[in-house]
Amino acid sequence: MASGIFAVAAILGIGAATLHYVSKQRAAEEETRRREIAEKTARLREELARAEAELRRREMELLASGAPLLPEQPEAPQNGHPSARPDAARNGDVFDALVAEVNALLAERRYGAAAAAARKFADEHGEQPMHDMAVDFLGRLNNSLLKHVEEQSADPNRLVNDFLYDEAVTEYQHLAARFEGTPWKRFLDVRTAGIKSQQALHSEAIRRLKDAARNGTPVPLPFEMPELPGLKLLVADADPVWVTFVWEKDSRYRRGFQWKALPPKNVCAIYSACIPAPTPAQHEMFGLFCQERDLIDEAEKHFTAAERNDPHD
């Protein structure tokens, strides 16, 4: 079943091949950034080493000349933080403090706060090379959050596949709040909207099934149930979790099934039987339902019909 970022891609209408390409491209970009930050860190350390070597050289010259060594004086305070250390060393310490702060926030699942800390650091350090390092770090941080999105989407995705849409929407809303201030907030909002669309389709199908049964024209089951072989079945009742089938010739023979126990293609067939002429908006809902459950051909058919506003495709 589709899950994680592939489910998000499904909501956005991104094909599997495209997503694979984008994932490879993102990995390559992240590797490039990693190399760049490693090179900048190495240059920073080299700058520190040169500064320390220069200090030692000057000290040795003073000793050789017999001139008295002046007591070590702190540099003038900068931003309220006096320091006698070379800029490279001070910058390294400040950057290490940022990394430690971000890691602590990630451990608390405060992803938006982690991204905000990195952005604030970049804004406050406009000088080179600190600004570039901070910007690169923020980019790598946002890319790394994909792993957290996928891991924490697993449980809500299971709720979707169990047709527990209310619970799934609530979980995704909480998840989106954790990622406020990151690029993934938009993905999670779109994902939540897609789940609501699937829920709307499910609710509409249930309404029509119940109305048909109440009016004495129950919807015929468009497939045979292996558990009830050879029987022509009708849909006698339905609710968000259960659907009940009865034998056409004797309503005493009935059996209920949970929606989640039915193969997705059979659920889609029931939907289609009671919604034979979907509107463009309903085609979009069908497409999301099918793509969520890897019914790719059906999904493409419905998405195509939605795009050309064909209510009868």
Side-chain angles (χ1 to χ4, degrees):
M1 292 185 180
S3 62
I5 192 59
F6 287 90
V8 175
I11 300 303
L12 295 175
I14 301 174
T18 301
L19 180 61
H20 180 66
Y21 171 78
V22 171
S23 298
K24 289 181 64 178
Q25 188 177 47
R26 182 185 296 120
E29 291 173 351
E30 184 172 349
E31 179 60 28
T32 299
R33 290 193 185 95
R34 188 179 295 111
R35 285 198 303 269
E36 290 175 350
I37 197 67
E39 292 171 358
K40 290 179 179 179
T41 301
R43 288 198 297 271
L44 192 61
R45 295 186 184 282
E46 290 174 1
E47 183 181 339
L48 171 61
R50 285 196 299 271
E52 291 177 340
E54 179 64 16
L55 288 173
R56 287 195 298 271
R57 185 185 67 78
R58 292 181 180 179
E59 184 180 67
M60 293 301 294
E61 288 178 351
L62 287 171
L63 288 172
S65 67
L69 291 175
L70 295 174
E72 188 173 297
Q73 298 291 329
E75 294 179 358
Q78 296 181 1
N79 298 325
H81 299 289
S83 173
R85 306 181 66 199
D87 286 345
R90 186 167 61 254
N91 287 348
D93 286 349
V94 172
F95 191 76
D96 288 345
L98 168 65
V99 174
E101 178 185 3
V102 167
N103 285 334
L105 292 168
L106 292 178
E108 298 173 0
R109 293 189 172 186
R110 297 173 61 191
Y111 306 111
R119 281 196 303 272
K120 180 180 178 183
F121 185 94
D123 291 342
E124 292 179 347
H125 294 79
E127 71 278 6
Q128 303 290 343
M130 292 293 285
H131 179 74
D132 287 347
M133 291 174 65
V135 170
D136 287 343
F137 178 73
L138 177 60
R140 291 188 295 114
L141 171 64
N142 285 332
N143 285 336
S144 72
L145 292 180
L146 171 59
K147 177 188 71 174
H148 297 278
V149 171
E150 289 184 315
E151 289 174 352
Q152 294 177 50
S153 295
D155 287 340
N157 287 340
R158 279 191 286 271
L159 294 172
V160 173
N161 288 317
D162 288 346
F163 297 87
L164 300 176
Y165 292 116
D166 284 334
E167 294 90 334
V169 166
T170 298
E171 288 295 318
Y172 262 105
Q173 288 172 337
H174 291 162
L175 191 57
R178 286 186 214 136
F179 286 86
E180 182 74 49
T182 77
W184 299 108
K185 172 64 162 57
R186 169 61 179 160
F187 279 80
L188 294 168
D189 285 343
V190 172
R191 172 67 168 145
T192 304
I195 295 171
K196 290 180 178 179
S197 291
Q198 294 182 56
Q199 183 178 29
L201 177 67
H202 193 54
S203 297
E204 177 63 15
I206 291 168
R207 185 188 68 79
R208 294 193 183 199
L209 292 169
K210 292 175 75 70
D211 287 349
R214 188 182 304 114
N215 295 332
T217 56
V219 174
L221 203 63
F223 52 85
E224 184 176 291
M225 289 293 295
E227 296 85 350
L228 302 169
L231 300 182
K232 185 174 181 180
L233 303 173
L234 308 173
V235 180
D237 197 9
D239 64 32
V241 177
W242 291 86
V243 59
T244 301
F245 307 136
V246 298
W247 185 24
E248 181 186 42
K249 295 183 178 181
D250 191 338
S251 61
R252 292 176 300 174
Y253 292 90
R254 64 172 53 212
R255 183 169 176 182
F257 294 85
Q258 288 188 311
W259 287 103
K260 69 178 183 180
L262 301 177
K265 66 178 182 179
N266 288 354
V267 175
C268 189
I270 295 173
Y271 287 174
S272 296
C274 64
I275 310 176
T279 65
Q282 288 170 339
H283 272 303
E284 184 75 18
M285 295 174 187
F286 268 100
L288 294 173
F289 174 86
C290 292
Q291 195 160 24
E292 176 84 29
R293 292 159 177 83
D294 292 333
L295 302 175
I296 305 304
D297 291 342
E298 282 294 307
E300 290 182 354
K301 181 186 76 172
H302 285 292
F303 284 138
T304 299
E307 288 176 358
R308 65 170 177 254
N309 294 324
D310 184 351
H312 302 295
D313 198 297

